[in-house]
Amino acid sequence: MNESQAPVDSLYVRLTSFGQEHYPATEYIALLIRSLAQDACRSRRFTHYFCQIIERSRDIYNDINNLIQEYEENSDLNLTEKMNLFKKFTKMIMDLEEYLNRSFGIMGAETRLLETDNDSSELEEDAELDARIVNPRSIERWNDHKAELTNIMTQLHTKDSFEPPSEDWETRAEIKLCHDTLVWCTAVFNTIERVTELQNSVAMRCRISLNMACSQLLQQPLSAFSDNHANLVLHCAMKVCLLQHLQINAISSDNTDEWAKMA
């Protein structure tokens, strides 16, 4: 996809609407932002969170270009001022490239976990996606990626080398992550409901617990939402998926209560 092919009002165009043309020193950052934005538009998890990371990166990118413009065009600067300005935007470039590369790595891992074969039929693609959603590794990696992205988000907004954001970024980030988590937990639950066939009594108890946990999650007002609600759903889902994935038909009475306990 390129900007000439994208609809004028598309998410991709909005995410990559830079304030000005980039300089050679920031060309790589512009490429990373465009690539990450393209992937974010079709991502299945952390979509809102990725978009905020891109928006913040784009603002820092614009700040860097403004500093470069001042460095090149302001003839009133003395040598010391020019050197300080050069050091400042150089440090910003290095830090922003690091966080964008880390974000790109997480996006790549997400794609490998959840992307289906585009050459498959619609039914085959749906079946493959279902299998990927309820794969225990896919569920397990949710928390790992969430922690990594939260660290990147925090660094982009608090790093000394960057200009501080003017908005209440923490509240905005929390709301976006809540939405992403609700969407993902609902997808996991709905897929399990559709594709799993659990027969033994322990598995059925796990599934009932999952149903209850997901219901509690969806009933929470956004202001009261916490990681504990999402973790409960994913913890339940992990156990249900493991039972299905490993095709366990009987579990000894010694660990029945442990497997059925969901929190």
Side-chain angles (χ1 to χ4, degrees), residues 45 129-140 184-185 187-198 202-204 206-207 210 233-248 259 262:
R45 304 198 299 193
L129 179 59
D130 284 344
R132 287 176 177 269
I133 286 176
V134 298
N135 186 299
R137 176 165 174 75
S138 172
I139 297 174
E140 181 184 24
W184 172 239
C185 288
V188 170
F189 176 73
N190 290 341
T191 305
I192 288 174
E193 278 288 289
R194 186 167 60 253
V195 304
T196 57
E197 297 177 359
L198 304 173
V202 175
M204 291 306 296
C206 288
R207 189 167 179 175
L210 173 62
V233 171
L234 297 178
H235 183 60
C236 297
M238 175 69 82
K239 290 190 174 182
V240 173
C241 292
L242 281 171
L243 288 170
Q244 176 71 14
H245 187 68
L246 300 175
Q247 298 180 341
I248 297 176
W259 270 92
M262 291 294 105

Side-chain angles (χ1 to χ4, degrees), residues 119-147:
D119 295 330
S120 303
S121 68
E122 186 173 341
L123 286 176
E124 290 173 332
E125 187 173 345
D126 289 344
E128 183 183 354
L129 179 59
D130 284 344
R132 287 176 177 269
I133 286 176
V134 298
N135 186 299
R137 176 165 174 75
S138 172
I139 297 174
E140 181 184 24
R141 292 295 288 164
W142 162 270
N143 273 329
D144 295 338
H145 290 170
K146 180 180 68 173

